[in-house]
Amino acid sequence: MFYYYDPTFLLVIIGLLISGAASAYVNSTFNKFDKIRSAKNVTGTAAAQFILSDSGITDVVVQPISGRMTDNYNAQNKTLNLSESTANSPSVAAIGVAAHECGHAVQDQVDYLPMRIRHAIVPIANIGSTISIPLILIGVLISWNQTLINIGIFAFSLALLFQLVTLPVEFDASRRAVKILAAGDLLTPEEVPMVKKVLFAAALTYVAAALSTFLQLLRLVILFGGNRRND
Ligand SMILES: [Zn+2]
């Protein structure tokens, strides 16, 4: 494999390590606080339904989905999807995750600008990440066509842009969740800091993903960015 004599492959490995560490951290944090039953004993589903109605959101359906940590809010069909580990669990972690997804529903309700921007760039980011590597490879094969290679690198950077725009959306959803939970209807004051830890660990995975994509972009720039044809 050509990786053996490509030192920039180290950047990819660093990215994988960062992502792996973030994912291990969110898993262990979630597991820790998933074992703590909330004093008020409400499930993720009940918490989500309470928060939505308390926020005056009546057009969003809370439903269970399969998988673990697959929780998401879908703005297109107005569904708040809670994974099995969240939906039926009365743990502090489950309530935190459910409240975070409600945070996204509230963002949608108030037309939170970063969420709109994120939504708008999804298609171009998808196209960008699909065509970038093929474009770079074709550019290299066609006697190092730098224009084609640069377009490929630019396309890849759109994927990074998407991940960067995701960050404020995720942090804001958690901020809204903590604020709602701190009101005291669903959690005791002692439980709020636990939720903060779970949501902080979850946010780190998005930072790690963006960092990892940045390192991959850096690698592409180092390998193909300049006109390096010297044969
Ligand atoms: Zn989120």
Side-chain angles (χ1 to χ4, degrees), residues 71-73 100-101 104 107 169-171 173-174 206:
D71 312 77
N72 67 84
Y73 169 70
H100 170 91
E101 299 310 332
H104 287 308
Q107 289 173 337
V169 179
E170 291 303 326
F171 279 100
S174 287
Y206 289 97

Side-chain angles (χ1 to χ4, degrees), residues 8-210:
T8 66
F9 195 62
L10 188 64
L11 294 172
V12 177
I13 293 178
I14 293 170
L16 287 173
L17 288 175
I18 292 171
S19 299
S23 150
Y25 182 61
V26 73
N27 271 313
S28 76
T29 309
F30 184 86
N31 288 341
K32 183 176 168 190
F33 294 109
D34 197 32
K35 290 191 184 80
I36 298 178
R37 181 180 279 256
S38 65
K40 296 181 199 271
N41 204 27
V42 277
T43 62
T45 300
Q49 282 163 343
F50 176 87
I51 294 170
L52 291 178
S53 88
D54 196 48
S55 311
I57 298 172
T58 51
D59 57 346
V60 171
V61 176
V62 181
Q63 58 185 29
I65 49 162
S66 60
R68 202 181 130 72
M69 292 195 191
T70 45
D71 312 77
N72 67 84
Y73 169 70
N74 187 325
Q76 275 79 58
N77 60 13
K78 300 272 180 189
T79 56
L80 198 148
N81 306 293
L82 297 179
S83 64
E84 283 150 7
S85 51
T86 307
N88 302 317
S89 166
S91 76
V92 170
I95 293 170
V97 170
H100 170 91
E101 299 310 332
C102 289
H104 287 308
V106 174
Q107 289 173 337
D108 191 20
Q109 181 197 34
V110 300
D111 261 328
Y112 180 60
L113 185 62
M115 188 193 225
R116 292 283 164 263
I117 296 171
R118 180 179 182 273
H119 183 66
I121 64 175
V122 168
I124 57 162
N126 282 340
I127 295 169
S129 57
T130 308
I131 65 169
S132 61
I133 302 297
L135 279 180
I136 293 169
L137 288 178
I138 294 167
V140 170
L141 291 174
I142 308 175
S143 63
W144 203 286
N145 184 316
Q146 193 64 49
T147 307
L148 210 51
I149 292 171
N150 288 347
I151 295 172
I153 292 174
F154 174 74
F156 191 89
S157 71
L158 295 174
L160 176 62
L161 177 70
F162 172 75
Q163 289 182 323
L164 290 176
V165 174
T166 296
L167 296 180
V169 179
E170 291 303 326
F171 279 100
D172 178 79
S174 287
R175 201 160 40 231
R176 289 176 197 269
V178 169
K179 197 176 163 197
I180 292 166
L181 293 174
D185 297 302
L186 299 165
L187 293 182
T188 63
E190 296 75 38
E191 290 166 341
V192 175
M194 302 178 192
V195 159
K196 278 186 184 170
K197 283 181 186 164
V198 172
L199 297 182
F200 176 72
L204 278 188
T205 62
Y206 289 97
V207 176

